[in-house]
Amino acid sequence: MTREEVNAIVNLADVNADGKFDYIKFCKLYLTTNEQCLKTALEKLEVDSKLKRQHFGSHIEASPEREPSPVPKPSPRIMRRSDEDTFTNKGDTRSSLLATTRKFKTSVSFTVTMGANSNRNSKLTEPNSVKEWQCVQSKGCFFLEEDGEIVSHQYRMQIAQRCMVYLTIKPLNLSQAEGKPSPWLSVDTALYILKENESQANLQLMCFTELQNREVFGWTGELAPGMYWLIPSTTGCRLRKEGQAVAEEAQLVYRDETGGLLLTQEFRSTLSDIFEVIDLDGNGLLSLEEYNFFELRTSGEKCDEDAWAVCRENFDTKKNELTRRGFMDLNLMEANDREGDPRDLWVTLHAMGYNKALELTEACPFVIDVYADKCKPRIKAVHMEACSGQLEKAVCKSVLSKGDAKVMDGYEDIIVHTYTCDTWITSVIENKSDNKAIIHISNELSRNCVNNRGLNIFAVEVAPKSAMVCQHVMPLNGQQEWMSHSWSWCPPAWPCSCSSPGTAFPPSPTLAVVRQAAKIGATAWSWILSILGRGLPAQCTIAQ
């Protein structure tokens, strides 16, 4: 601080009536103010969590079991009366929305109305002689992360010669206990096929499974010899965080009359289903590669050859692979190591998508079948990664090539592409300009719809010379007609609040707390801000 600033603070009559600076009083005031700032900032972040997602187009939302959301989110699989009446009961909301969007000349809208269970135009049919073709199968799984991101297995496929190929993907039907729901069976699945040209980094989109027959999505066509990548995809409209807390935690272990530790029947059934999911080739055994996908998912580490040798010596194996019984005993050993404490077992179960009632709610196992008429395809799981990166590029390319395009009025460099199939609608925003673009999207007028972002109004930021997936939309209730009405607009740029000398700088709610607590003039206010690391912008004055 300069001498003039110190003198100005000391001479403030409303703070230092005797002309002396009360350092102890100031320190107490500073600490109290700092605590209040932190408290207010945390409260504001909690209340504005949905607002933050609107501004940044993020998928992140806190789990309701840990932190209640200020606005309850309807389940994507339960059609509620309030959702059915969304379109007809908007009232003033619809009028205000239309009035707001009309203010912006740079806007574009899409409206798509779909009938109940509409799949007339995209019916998947098997090739006539497919039963005579050679077939290979592999399983995998989509997993929902804490931040809402989805990860899944990814595969490489080798085709030895040019041939006709028939590919399908569908949710894996597990032997659930009677009375337990199977929510993952309603999750949409798709498979994108990309060809390696010169390297794995240079992938060319060949096709994707856009035809459907009930829960099966498939594609039929000719492929040249070479290496291909199979990247599974789900929109995220139905695989998402649920808001219902589990009333009672399932029991995993118990002790018999001799005091020995045993796994409950319900837990054994769940472990059997997990074994079914991680046994990717379906041979009833776990190889080291298959087991390592499980280890990476549940612990973040791999099992090396030496550890696998110890595992084979102590647990039931066949052909150097772990049997189902050996997998059960391995989990029982883990429970014994913790003397019956189930916390580590629950870490494994949560990582695999199970809730406290042992219901599979945050994962979707699937199965891929590949048929070829002239050679036997080879397929191998090679990664478990987020459904982004190459997949995002593939989705954008497919929508740009197959979707309907509309240029945003008054802004010819912003193009909204919309791809519609009978099951979902995908929108991609293309920005051809040299500047980033922030596009606002509203689905307020949609009916019987759910989107992957969980918001009716949000915004996305599109980088220069790029394209990005804006949203996926699906019906809440496939048994009823659904209508997607998406309105996109680009608001005018906000003027800089520090563009000219003397511009008023309105304090944020957190800074306002500091000012109110301090009860001092502008000079001391600037000093407090500098101490807190929140200095005023240049050429600005304090808003009174």
Side-chain angles (χ1 to χ4, degrees):
M1 294 180 63
T2 65
R3 182 182 296 275
E4 290 76 14
E5 289 173 330
V6 173
N7 290 332
I9 292 173
V10 172
N11 292 330
L12 287 174
D14 58 338
V15 177
N16 308 300
D18 57 356
K20 297 179 181 179
F21 177 63
D22 191 337
Y23 182 73
I24 296 177
K25 181 179 179 181
F26 170 78
C27 288
K28 290 180 179 179
L29 181 63
Y30 170 74
L31 292 175
T32 302
T33 302
N34 190 37
E35 291 175 0
Q36 184 64 36
C37 286
L38 293 174
K39 181 180 178 181
T40 304
L42 287 174
E43 291 175 351
K44 190 175 189 303
L45 285 175
E46 291 174 3
V47 173
D48 292 348
S49 61
K50 292 181 78 70
L51 184 61
K52 286 176 65 182
R53 292 199 299 146
Q54 290 178 1
H55 287 324
F56 296 104
S58 171
H59 297 207
I60 298 173
E61 182 166 287
S63 175
E65 294 185 17
R66 289 183 295 276
E67 185 174 306
S69 173
V71 181
K73 179 180 66 177
S75 166
R77 286 181 286 276
I78 300 175
M79 181 60 183
R80 304 191 309 182
R81 182 66 185 173
S82 59
D83 296 315
E84 294 176 0
D85 297 339
T86 297
F87 184 73
T88 57
N89 294 341
K90 283 295 175 184
D92 294 339
T93 303
R94 187 199 310 200
S95 301
S96 62
L97 174 67
L98 293 175
T100 300
T101 50
R102 286 193 187 111
K103 292 178 183 178
F104 305 119
K105 295 181 179 179
T106 54
S107 64
V108 62
S109 65
F110 278 90
T111 302
V112 180
T113 302
M114 306 292 288
N117 288 329
S118 176
N119 61 356
R120 301 173 184 173
N121 300 324
S122 62
K123 183 74 172 179
L124 174 67
T125 56
E126 293 184 350
N128 293 329
S129 58
V130 71
K131 297 187 184 302
E132 301 173 4
W133 294 10
Q134 299 186 68
C135 176
V136 63
Q137 184 183 90
S138 184
K139 289 179 282 189
C141 195
F142 297 109
F143 295 104
L144 188 61
E145 300 282 51
E146 285 298 320
D147 61 359
E149 190 173 38
I150 297 174
V151 301
S152 77
H153 295 83
Q154 297 183 1
Y155 309 81
R156 289 185 78 197
M157 178 180 69
Q158 182 179 14
I159 300 293
Q161 64 182 95
R162 182 178 294 275
C163 58
M164 290 295 295
V165 176
Y166 174 56
L167 302 102
T168 64
I169 182 172
K170 65 178 180 179
L172 178 63
N173 193 1
L174 299 173
S175 55
Q176 280 285 91
E178 186 176 352
K180 275 198 172 183
S182 303
W184 71 91
L185 292 179
S186 65
V187 172
D188 58 287
T189 59
L191 198 62
Y192 286 80
I193 297 89
L194 296 84
K195 190 177 189 301
E196 285 186 17
N197 289 324
E198 299 176 355
S199 66
Q200 294 183 12
N202 186 16
L203 301 179
Q204 176 188 0
L205 175 65
M206 303 301 296
C207 56
F208 69 100
T209 54
E210 59 181 324
L211 300 182
Q212 178 190 8
N213 183 7
R214 295 188 176 181
E215 75 278 5
V216 181
F217 287 82
W219 175 85
T220 305
E222 187 178 63
L223 291 180
M227 296 297 299
Y228 295 84
W229 281 77
L230 305 182
I231 304 182
S233 171
T234 183
T235 61
C237 293
R238 293 179 176 169
L239 181 58
R240 55 196 299 178
K241 297 283 183 181
E242 292 292 335
Q244 297 179 352
V246 175
E248 185 177 354
E249 181 178 308
Q251 185 179 357
L252 304 184
V253 296
Y254 70 97
R255 294 192 181 276
D256 60 15
E257 58 275 6
T258 66
L261 202 63
L262 297 174
L263 306 179
T264 64
Q265 183 57 45
E266 187 178 16
F267 184 36
R268 291 182 66 85
S269 176
T270 300
L271 288 175
S272 181
D273 284 343
I274 291 176
F275 184 92
E276 198 68 32
V277 172
I278 63 179
D279 176 21
L280 300 182
D281 60 10
N283 69 345
L285 302 168
L286 293 183
S287 66
L288 176 58
E289 291 78 10
E290 290 171 330
Y291 183 75
N292 271 335
F293 278 117
F294 170 74
E295 279 292 308
L296 283 171
R297 178 63 196 165
T298 56
S299 69
E301 299 178 352
K302 279 189 175 184
C303 177
D304 59 24
E305 292 287 350
D306 292 338
W308 187 246
V310 174
C311 184
R312 294 200 309 267
E313 291 175 3
N314 292 276
F315 300 100
D316 187 45
T317 59
K318 184 178 181 180
K319 299 178 182 178
N320 292 325
E321 296 185 337
L322 193 64
T323 64
R324 193 183 300 262
R325 175 185 170 186
F327 183 67
M328 298 283 186
D329 292 340
L330 186 63
N331 282 273
L332 179 59
M333 183 196 73
E334 183 175 354
N336 275 300
D337 287 346
R338 297 294 182 181
E339 298 182 349
D341 187 340
R343 282 180 291 183
D344 284 354
L345 298 176
W346 278 117
V347 170
T348 297
L349 289 167
H350 290 323
M352 294 301 294
Y354 286 85
N355 64 13
K356 289 289 187 178
L358 294 182
E359 296 169 339
L360 187 59
T361 58
E362 296 188 2
C364 173
F366 56 80
V367 58
I368 296 171
D369 289 291
V370 183
Y371 298 83
D373 67 342
K374 294 181 181 178
C375 64
K376 185 170 184 177
R378 294 173 177 265
I379 181 174
K380 182 179 180 180
V382 290
H383 295 304
M384 183 184 290
E385 294 184 353
C387 294
S388 57
Q390 287 290 354
L391 178 59
E392 174 93 1
K393 295 178 183 177
V395 173
C396 287
K397 286 182 180 179
S398 65
V399 173
L400 264 60
S401 63
K402 291 178 173 288
D404 296 325
K406 283 189 178 181
V407 176
M408 187 167 286
D409 295 339
Y411 203 169
E412 60 182 12
D413 290 329
I414 302 296
I415 306 172
V416 180
H417 302 262
T418 303
Y419 169 78
T420 303
C421 67
D422 295 327
T423 308
W424 71 81
I425 299 169
T426 297
S427 297
V428 169
I429 298 179
E430 183 182 11
N431 179 13
K432 293 184 176 182
S433 72
D434 295 323
N435 303 306
K436 71 177 182 181
I438 298 178
I439 309 299
H440 293 246
I441 296 92
S442 172
N443 299 303
E444 284 286 288
L445 301 184
S446 295
R447 183 179 63 208
N448 186 26
C449 289
V450 61
N451 65 68
N452 64 307
R453 295 184 181 272
L455 293 166
N456 281 332
I457 301 175
F458 59 92
V460 294
E461 181 178 300
V462 190
K465 304 291 184 181
S466 70
M468 69 170 291
V469 176
C470 171
Q471 66 174 344
H472 303 286
V473 180
M474 291 188 69
L476 270 169
N477 186 343
Q479 304 299 319
Q480 299 178 5
E481 181 182 83
W482 55 292
M483 184 194 75
S484 172
H485 181 97
S486 177
W487 195 304
S488 306
W489 73 92
C490 183
W494 295 102
C496 177
S497 61
C498 305
S499 56
S500 61
T503 302
F505 178 66
S508 67
T510 302
L511 298 183
V513 173
V514 179
R515 184 174 183 184
Q516 183 179 3
K519 296 182 180 179
I520 54 180
T523 305
W525 169 240
S526 301
W527 184 41
I528 295 288
L529 284 174
S530 66
I531 293 175
L532 295 176
R534 298 290 299 273
L536 288 172
Q539 299 179 325
C540 287
T541 61
I542 303 296
Q544 300 299 322

